[in-house]
Amino acid sequence: MSEKATFNGQSIHLQVLLPTEILVDEEVDKVIAEAENGEFCLLPRHIDFVAAIAPGILEFVDEEDRQEFLAVDEGVLVKCAEEVLVSVRDGVG
């Protein structure tokens, strides 16, 4: 049995918001995004912060350990407690 990336059963609630719809709304174990100064990874117990997202690939790992990828335009990522909100101009799965 493989060990999951969660910390003490914690997960992250990820929402990816477009101007016209909610593209993603689910519990995930990890989020990987890219800002203008490079790529970063968020896990459930990381510190809260805000980042400007560069156009590129947003990656996340769901609770079944499946890796998912989204192509996103520029936007903003906000991490607060166990919530990660990503607001971008456009995105596709």
Side-chain angles (χ1 to χ4, degrees), residues 54-74:
I57 302 297
L58 178 77
E59 177 184 345
F60 60 92
V61 177
D62 68 15
E63 291 186 314
E64 283 84 40
D65 284 334
R66 289 184 303 227
Q67 208 169 12
E68 305 277 341
F69 299 93
L70 301 175
V72 295
D73 199 356
E74 62 188 6

Side-chain angles (χ1 to χ4, degrees), residues 34-45:
E34 187 175 346
E36 290 187 17
N37 59 346
E39 188 175 88
F40 60 93
C41 175
L42 298 172
L43 296 171
R45 297 182 65 197

